[in-house]
Amino acid sequence: MATVISDNITSPLGLTTEQTYKAVRQGKSGLAHYPCEDGKGGWNDLPFPIEASLFNKEQWDKIMVDGFSKFESLVLHSVKAAISTMVFNKERAILILSSTKGDIDELQITNYELPSPTPNTQHPSSNTLADAAKKVSMAIGIENDPIVVCNACISGVSAIILGQRLVDCGNYTHVIVCGADVQSRFIVSGFQSLKALSDEPCRPFDIERLGLNLGEAAATIVLSREFDFPNGWKVDKGAVCNDAYHISAPHPKGLGAGLALRKMKDADNPISVIGVHGTATMYNDQMESKAIEEAELQDVPLSALKGYFGHTMGAAGVLETIIMMRALEDGVILPSKGYDTCGVSGKVKMSGKLMTAEGNTFVKMLSGFGGCNGAVRVSDRSLPMTIVNDILVSQTHSVSITQDEIIVDGNRLDAKSHGKEMLTEVYKTKIGDYPKFYKMDMLSRLAFVASELLIESEGQRAKGKSQRAVVLFNHSSSIIADRQYMKSIEKDDFFPSPAAFVYTLPNITTGEIALRNGYHGETSFYLLAERNEELMQRVIKSTFIDREIKSIIGGWIDCPSEDKFECEIKIFSVKE
């Protein structure tokens, strides 16, 4: 079982966990108003005001590191603080970084080439999250390839779950999990295009909630093996489940979130508190209340922390987990700042006042675009460790696609076109019954066509596959969609597109596959500095810790341009 042996929070409320938690206990919030006055641009020259939790200049002066960007410096600051007093075998350690967009405002609109599959190859500058993670990992002396979890708003919880699995599988003795995001014109304009932002402090679950506030932060936890560190918080289990309902809207009854929550229940160790996502948006809070009710956890107290930090995206799952650990150590459930009167239909136990906690077990839940929902259970008591060494995994059907050819189970598919046109040709001749294909970005089109051919070769579409997982990897994230969206927010032609913004999250590819096929199992997207088959196999095998998952569509899918891409995905199954 994975034990939390160290942590750090670097936030606008403080550059250490202690400073940040102290501020929260005192009822302070990092949220501040950034106006837009007299027709002039506001924060980052945006044409509207925002309420957000942002670092000030003095804090950035303490965080910044020569030769590193703002985002990289923030990650490095938090990670270094978490491991400053530790001694460990760096050959048996790995960095897992959770983030949504990283240094996205620094993205250059230039041509980008596929990274070479040869290990240790230097990639061209691309501002990708995978390269940033590699840079930080090398700076702290860890040469093992890092993993970036890019799973929309649930990335932090997904990263903790992955870290727990890799420790429990015996792959690493130390896993450093860091969640981080910095706010940018790109991100703020995207949420504004979705009409999700409030220019007043957010009010999670309250009847007068108007929307979310964004925030920036980094938070790090270090996980290790329980028999090396018997005392401390344990990551008991985690689960990711998909709604298979909509790419950007949550399931009205919280289907995926409810499925994940049910997996966190344990009759012998009741849950003391649930840390909800609590974005203060109309539909997310409502969905969460129904998911909690459907999971029969309506009597468990809730904790919502967005009123202190805003929505810190990739950092949220890690940051809020650390705060909840500190609060339970104090025997309290923190007030949900901004909450006064219940504004959701599900029966829930939320309070704007400090409550006394009973027990030391909590669940942190998050939900995000792509239909993904995650929950992780953390406790101060030991439970029997899940062993996955006895799980044997087989590979069956496979599909390989490049801009020049498509191979299904070793057989070349006839196609007259090349590049982007080839995918459209195959859709028309082999699929043809899912018009949403034409709305997808290039990465999603590639994933959709490959998965359709893969499932067709299997010949058992949807039969007993509702718990199938989809686990994909690449290097360039959603770079084509990123560039297209950036064009919509040019200063002289500011018109952010909500449809384009949604596809700037690479995990939308996994959500599209789940939606098409009714998969409610795990959907996860990871970024790697280079294609690493051994590391990919470790991650895929560790996913089978969730015993309800019997098969996975998994593999590599990278699409840096419309006419240059590569995809190789397979079906992985548990041998009975």
Side-chain angles (χ1 to χ4, degrees):
M1 185 178 296
T3 300
V4 179
I5 63 172
S6 182
D7 64 67
N8 167 265
I9 294 175
T10 302
S11 79
L13 286 176
L15 303 188
T16 68
T17 299
E18 290 69 25
Q19 292 171 357
T20 300
Y21 178 64
K22 181 180 179 180
V24 171
R25 279 303 307 263
Q26 292 173 347
K28 296 179 181 179
S29 172
L31 294 171
H33 191 68
Y34 296 84
C36 180
E37 300 174 349
D38 301 325
K40 297 180 180 179
W43 179 83
N44 216 341
D45 204 30
L46 287 168
F48 49 80
I50 65 169
E51 186 85 14
S53 178
L54 307 174
F55 291 107
N56 58 40
K57 183 180 182 302
E58 181 182 353
Q59 290 172 323
W60 276 121
D61 288 343
K62 295 177 180 179
I63 292 169
M64 290 301 296
V65 180
D66 288 344
F68 288 76
S69 69
K70 271 190 170 182
F71 173 74
E72 293 164 349
S73 294
L74 181 60
V75 174
L76 187 58
H77 181 278
S78 183
V79 169
K80 279 190 170 182
I83 66 173
S84 62
T85 61
M86 293 175 51
V87 177
F88 56 92
N89 183 351
K90 293 182 179 180
E91 293 181 358
R92 295 276 289 145
I94 188 173
L95 171 66
I96 298 176
L97 174 62
S98 72
S99 186
T100 55
K101 299 312 299 180
D103 279 321
I104 189 62
D105 270 7
E106 296 186 15
L107 178 68
Q108 300 298 312
I109 311 298
T110 56
N111 291 328
Y112 175 74
E113 298 295 326
L114 277 169
S116 167
T118 305
N120 300 319
T121 299
Q122 294 295 316
H123 305 315
S125 176
S126 60
N127 302 116
T128 70
L129 274 166
D131 294 333
K134 183 70 173 181
K135 187 175 179 180
V136 172
S137 186
M138 295 295 287
I140 61 174
I142 296 177
E143 295 187 4
N144 289 321
D145 284 350
I147 303 171
V148 178
V149 180
C150 207
N151 233 17
C153 295
I154 78 165
S155 294
V157 160
S158 294
I160 294 173
I161 294 170
L162 177 60
Q164 171 247 328
R165 290 172 176 174
L166 294 178
V167 169
D168 287 356
C169 287
N171 298 129
Y172 304 92
T173 58
H174 291 81
V175 177
I176 302 165
V177 180
C178 178
D181 262 307
V182 294
Q183 288 308 322
S184 64
R185 180 183 175 87
F186 187 105
I187 295 168
V188 176
S189 65
F191 276 97
Q192 179 71 0
S193 76
L194 295 166
K195 308 301 181 186
L197 294 183
S198 170
D199 60 4
E200 298 178 8
C202 64
R203 304 183 65 175
F205 280 67
D206 191 80
I207 195 169
E208 295 186 9
R209 66 188 185 277
L210 298 173
L212 62 82
N213 308 136
L214 290 167
E216 54 191 11
T220 303
I221 63 172
V222 182
L223 301 174
S224 190
R225 302 171 299 183
E226 183 184 11
F227 57 80
D228 289 334
F229 298 91
N231 300 318
W233 290 96
K234 312 293 189 300
V235 181
D236 291 345
K237 63 176 73 174
V240 175
C241 299
N242 201 284
D243 288 333
Y245 171 74
H246 195 275
I247 293 305
S248 58
H251 191 283
K253 294 184 178 180
L255 176 61
L259 289 172
L261 283 174
R262 284 188 176 276
K263 294 183 180 185
M264 300 301 103
K265 296 174 71 173
D266 182 347
D268 296 326
N269 189 16
I271 299 168
S272 307
V273 57
I274 298 172
V276 292
H277 194 20
T279 59
T281 53
M282 189 61 65
Y283 295 113
N284 180 84
D285 289 7
Q286 168 64 16
M287 175 278 291
E288 285 194 291
S289 77
K290 298 304 294 183
I292 290 164
E293 193 176 52
E294 291 292 325
E296 299 179 333
L297 292 169
Q298 64 270 18
D299 294 327
V300 178
L302 307 184
S303 176
L305 298 174
K306 297 295 190 295
Y308 301 96
F309 303 102
H311 186 358
T312 55
M313 306 191 313
V318 186
L319 184 159
E320 295 175 20
T321 294
I322 296 171
I323 292 293
M324 293 182 72
M325 288 191 297
R326 289 293 186 274
L328 285 187
E329 286 170 1
D330 281 353
V332 300
I333 298 170
L334 295 166
S336 296
K337 197 171 185 66
Y339 177 83
D340 181 64
T341 303
C342 185
V344 295
S345 65
K347 296 181 175 67
V348 292
K349 194 174 180 180
M350 175 74 76
S351 177
K353 297 181 180 180
L354 189 73
M355 294 188 287
T356 299
E358 297 181 4
N360 284 307
T361 296
F362 69 89
V363 169
K364 177 60 200 160
M365 63 183 292
L366 293 174
S367 299
F369 291 154
C372 57
N373 304 271
V376 63
R377 179 186 175 105
V378 183
S379 175
D380 71 345
R381 60 175 288 187
S382 298
L383 295 174
M385 190 177 88
T386 302
I387 303 295
V388 296
N389 292 332
D390 60 340
I391 295 179
L392 298 178
V393 179
S394 63
Q395 301 176 25
T396 53
H397 303 277
S398 66
V399 169
S400 175
I401 301 178
T402 67
Q403 63 275 5
D404 298 317
E405 64 177 4
I406 300 176
I407 299 175
V408 181
D409 287 339
N411 300 312
R412 194 175 190 276
L413 198 68
D414 289 334
K416 299 178 182 178
S417 307
H418 296 272
K420 178 181 179 180
E421 289 72 24
M422 180 179 69
L423 297 180
T424 303
E425 177 189 342
V426 172
Y427 168 77
K428 289 179 177 179
T429 57
K430 300 291 184 181
I431 307 167
D433 64 345
Y434 201 66
K436 191 185 176 186
F437 170 83
Y438 294 103
K439 294 183 178 181
M440 297 178 189
D441 72 312
M442 266 298 297
L443 184 65
S444 295
R445 288 188 183 191
L446 178 59
F448 179 79
V449 168
S451 64
E452 288 291 292
L453 295 174
L454 189 66
I455 294 166
E456 182 66 25
S457 69
E458 183 185 32
Q460 298 180 5
R461 181 181 293 275
K463 288 186 178 180
K465 305 296 183 184
S466 66
Q467 288 301 309
R468 170 172 277 173
V470 184
V471 180
L472 300 178
F473 304 79
N474 82 4
H475 173 263
S476 58
S477 186
S478 51
I479 197 166
I480 297 176
D482 293 346
R483 287 173 175 153
Q484 290 175 341
Y485 180 74
M486 287 191 80
K487 292 178 182 178
S488 77
I489 58 171
E490 294 176 349
K491 291 183 179 181
D492 295 332
D493 188 22
F494 186 84
F495 194 78
S497 164
F501 179 68
V502 169
Y503 282 103
T504 64
L505 299 167
N507 73 297
I508 295 298
T509 58
T510 63
E512 292 282 18
I513 295 171
L515 179 59
R516 164 68 162 171
N517 297 284
Y519 296 158
H520 296 295
E522 177 164 336
T523 51
S524 291
F525 204 101
Y526 304 107
L527 311 181
L528 304 178
E530 56 200 8
R531 185 169 174 175
N532 183 328
E533 294 293 337
E534 181 180 359
L535 184 55
M536 289 162 59
Q537 292 292 323
R538 286 180 181 175
V539 173
I540 288 171
K541 182 174 181 179
S542 76
T543 306
F544 287 113
I545 278 186
D546 186 336
R547 298 286 179 155
E548 293 184 19
I549 295 174
K550 301 299 182 183
S551 65
I552 297 173
I553 291 177
W556 182 262
I557 175 166
D558 209 2
C559 188
S561 75
E562 293 185 348
D563 293 305
K564 194 163 189 178
F565 45 79
E566 61 179 358
C567 171
E568 185 176 356
I569 62 173
K570 301 175 183 179
I571 292 177
F572 299 84
S573 302
V574 177
K575 291 183 179 179
E576 301 294 341

